[in-house]
Structures are given as structure tokens and as C-alpha cells.
Amino acid sequence: MDDLKAKYLGLISDAADEAALEDIRVTAVGKKGEISLKMRELGKMTPEERQVAGPALNALKDEVNSAIAAKKAGLADEALNERLKTEWLDVTLPGRGRPAGTIHPISQVSQEVQALFADLGFSVAEGPQIEDDWHNFDALNIPSHHPARGEMDTFYMHRDEGDNRPPHVLRTHTSPVQIRSLLANGAPIRVICPGRVYRADYDQTHTPMFHQVEGLAIDKDISMANLKWVLEEFVKAFFEVDDVELRFRASHFPFTEPSAEVDIRCSWDNGQLKVGEGDDWLEILGSGMVHPKVLEAGGVDPSQWQGFAFGVGIDRIAMLKYGIPDLRAFFDSDLRWLRNYGFTALDQPDLASGLSR
Ligand code: DAH
């Protein structure tokens, strides 16, 4: 019994792998194993012999089985350690950055303008991009014979023969939202209306779809002086400079009287634009005192109320502020361009921390 025990425990401890262990198990305690065969001989023994040999053989079988189980666990641990030595991962390495999406400069600038005018007490209004010609033209004092209709390169919506609904256009400017806001809310009112507008035009500075923001302030005693102050505040805050010089040029728009186009002082050095200094002027917006006929179309009595309006090209001021040379790139959906000119989603513009940071 002692010989058997020494033999098998020795073999088990020397076993190199699980297959060798399994062989030992079969030879020792398998159906025809050495220890199993010895147990079968118990029947041939005298009862006295059996009383001693039986428990001893059982104990030996248990001991061999548990030695095999322990060795098996040991081999598995070793195998795992071996694997861990080769298959390791340095968790301190920086992760591979997933390219994050960016906010388009147009969205960023729209939000900047909204944050800025909210601070001046303007709320935001919106209107439809498919507009009827009354809101887009007539109500803004642009009757059908008016040259401005032709000048605007308007996209007209298709109409079937016999369809006598009013003609619809892709709105050529955000000014119709003035009318909608006046009709909905009356005076006094202070709103800005950002959004997409459309004209059939395409070159380095024109795309068939672009963006404007309209401003409207109507009250009892609003004058041209208020317009000038608001626009100066707007331009200074937007371009994040202490001083800008604006030039108000007498102009003509059907919906304002008097009307002024506003230019901003700037310089072009090696194609690099600087706002606020230099000998050049860049036109950035149209403005004026709202025409009495426009107030009337908006359901507001022009003998009681007056005020100013303006319209700014969002794409244009975005190009100026962020040094973007070609307007068309805004709408090419070129990811390399977006990564370069886009803003991170966390750069929400607000006045306290700086509009663009
Ligand atoms: N609607 C004009 C345009 O698209 C811009 C404009 C000029 C808007 C003068 C105004 C304004 O509100 O007063 O060219």
C-alpha cells in the first residue's frame, strides 16, 4: 500500500500537463487501474484482512484522486500565469482618440448672435422657409412690379395649372418674419429672426442657400440713434473688440425709410482680414426705420408706433470673424474643413465667458 502511494503521488507531482495527469488517473484509479483492481481482490480476502485492507484502499484512492485534482488546479494556474506574462495590456497608454463631431461655424455664429441679442432684450422668432409672396414681398412694400423682385433671383415653387393658391417662394430674406412677428404679437416688440434664405446665385461669395438674421424693434419713441447704438454694441460684442468703426451709408430698401447700409472698418493684409483698423470698408448689413406701410401690413398703427429693422448675413460675418475665405466651403460637407473650422460641442457661446473663447 505504501509503495503504491509513493509511486502514484510521485508520478502525479512530476506530471507535465493535463494529458499526462489523465493517463496517471486511468492507470491508478480508472476501471482497470492498479488500485481499482486491488479493490476487486477484497472479495477474496478473509473478513479480518478485508477490514484492514478495505478502508486503507479507499483512503489511498481518495488520496490519489485529490492529489490529481490539486495538481490539475496547479497546472491551470501555471498556464494562466504563462498567458498573463505574454498577453498583457498597458492600461496606462492613452486611448486612441475617436474624432469628435464639431459644431458648424454657421450654427456657432447663429448661437453667438442669439446670445448677444438676448442680452439686449431681443427674443427669437422663426418663420417658414417656403413663404407666400405676400409675406416675402407685398407686405414688405415690394409690389409685384417692383424691380427688387427681379433683383432677388427668387426661386418660385412649382404650381400646377389651375392651382390658384397664392404663389409661394423659397424666402429670399428673413424680413417676412418681421411681418409674422408683428401680426402674432403686435407692438411693442423686440425680436431677431435667424434662418435660411434662398436666391438663385452661385459664385465665391454667393450660394443658393445662405443665412440671415433679421432684427426688429418697435416701440413709441425708437429712433435712428437707437439703431446706431444697438448695431455698434452688436458689432463690438460679436467681433470681441473694444472699438469698431461703423459707416452708415444712405441707401434704399422698400421696407425702410430712411435706409442705411452699414460698413465696418477693416484691413486686408496678405489676404488676412482685420476688423477695426485699416483703410477698407466691408458692408455687413442693411437697416433702417421700418416703413409705415410695413407696420400697417403687420397690423400695427404707424401713427402710434415706430422702430428700426436690420438684416445681417450670418455667413458673411462668420467668414469675417473666423477668417474663412470661400463661402461655398460652408456647404461642401468636407470633413477636413469641418474639423479645421468647427467648434467643439462644449464651446457654447455665452457673454460671460466670451462668445467664441
Ligand atoms: N432684407 C434685406 C436683404 O435681404 C436685408 C435688410 C435690409 C433687412 C434692411 C432689413 C432692413 O430689415 O431694414 O437684402
Side-chain angles (χ1 to χ4, degrees):
M1 209 76 88
D2 286 340
D3 289 350
L4 278 178
K5 177 172 164 180
K7 173 176 152 195
Y8 283 114
L9 291 188
L11 284 172
I12 291 169
S13 119
D14 292 345
D17 52 32
E18 268 195 48
L21 258 189
E22 179 60 12
D23 284 347
I24 298 166
R25 193 190 63 78
V26 173
T27 349
V29 296
K31 256 192 193 153
K32 290 181 182 153
E34 196 172 7
I35 296 174
S36 312
L37 291 179
K38 286 260 179 287
M39 288 176 115
R40 283 196 207 155
E41 287 169 17
L42 285 174
K44 295 178 206 152
M45 294 181 187
T46 65
E48 292 75 25
E49 282 171 334
R50 201 183 302 144
Q51 236 164 26
V52 182
L57 273 172
N58 267 325
L60 175 60
K61 188 181 169 190
D62 286 348
E63 207 170 340
V64 168
N65 272 330
S66 52
I68 289 176
K71 179 71 182 180
K72 212 173 182 173
L75 284 174
D77 276 352
E78 268 173 43
L80 182 61
N81 283 335
E82 238 4 83
R83 266 184 64 192
L84 288 178
K85 264 189 238 161
T86 53
E87 299 175 12
W88 60 281
L89 182 72
D90 184 353
V91 293
T92 65
L93 279 177
R96 195 178 300 146
R98 210 170 357 133
T102 57
I103 305 288
H104 195 285
I106 298 293
S107 307
Q108 179 79 10
V109 165
S110 300
Q111 283 170 15
E112 289 178 23
V113 171
Q114 285 171 43
L116 201 155
F117 275 104
D119 193 55
L120 296 175
F122 286 71
S123 50
V124 175
E126 286 184 315
Q129 293 177 43
I130 299 175
E131 186 58 283
D132 60 71
D133 69 348
W134 185 81
H135 283 93
N136 194 79
F137 293 124
D138 300 79
L140 290 162
N141 195 31
I142 315 174
S144 38
H145 60 266
H146 197 285
R149 288 218 184 183
E151 280 162 23
M152 284 227 190
D153 303 309
T154 310
F155 287 113
Y156 283 86
M157 301 303 290
H158 170 75
R159 274 206 306 175
D160 286 328
E161 220 170 300
D163 182 349
N164 40 26
R165 284 175 300 178
H168 279 68
V169 300
L170 291 181
R171 70 177 177 199
T172 55
H173 49 183
T174 42
S175 304
V177 190
Q178 284 188 33
I179 304 296
R180 292 184 174 274
S181 304
L182 284 175
L183 288 172
N185 302 305
I189 193 171
R190 257 186 264 176
V191 283
I192 57 163
C193 326
R196 294 183 164 176
V197 300
Y198 302 84
R199 290 181 205 175
D201 211 349
Y202 188 72
D203 60 35
Q204 193 178 345
T205 52
H206 297 91
T207 48
M209 186 280 296
F210 57 105
H211 301 79
Q212 287 187 335
V213 59
E214 191 79 12
L216 175 70
I218 304 292
D219 212 321
K220 296 268 172 181
D221 53 4
I222 292 192
S223 72
M224 212 62 188
N226 300 116
L227 168 67
K228 186 161 186 266
W229 183 84
V230 165
L231 291 180
E232 274 169 1
E233 287 303 302
F234 159 57
V235 170
K236 273 193 286 190
F238 179 74
F239 288 105
E240 299 175 65
V241 288
D242 293 333
D243 253 321
V244 286
E245 207 182 328
L246 295 186
R247 184 169 74 176
F248 284 70
R249 241 179 327 104
S251 180
H252 175 78
F253 299 105
F255 27 88
T256 43
E257 182 58 39
S259 304
E261 277 175 293
V262 176
D263 305 335
I264 179 172
R265 188 185 277 287
C266 67
S267 69
W268 289 98
D269 262 345
N270 303 321
Q272 191 74 16
L273 177 84
K274 271 220 178 96
V275 167
E277 56 185 64
D279 300 324
D280 275 325
W281 294 94
L282 233 150
E283 185 198 322
I284 57 163
L285 60 89
S287 63
M289 298 302 290
V290 178
H291 197 289
K293 283 193 179 166
V294 173
L295 292 175
E296 259 167 29
V300 167
D301 180 356
S303 69
Q304 299 280 317
W305 303 96
Q306 63 183 36
F308 63 77
F310 58 87
V312 190
I314 293 185
D315 320 73
R316 175 135 238 212
I317 59 173
M319 289 170 77
L320 293 177
K321 180 166 179 179
Y322 295 113
I324 299 167
D326 191 330
L327 175 71
R328 292 170 294 196
F330 275 126
F331 313 117
D332 281 346
S333 303
D334 183 330
L335 277 179
R336 293 161 303 176
W337 185 92
L338 282 168
R339 282 189 195 117
N340 185 37
Y341 286 109
F343 293 81
T344 82
L346 297 175
D347 280 347
Q348 289 298 311
D350 69 82
L351 291 177
S353 47
L355 280 181
S356 61
R357 253 165 286 182

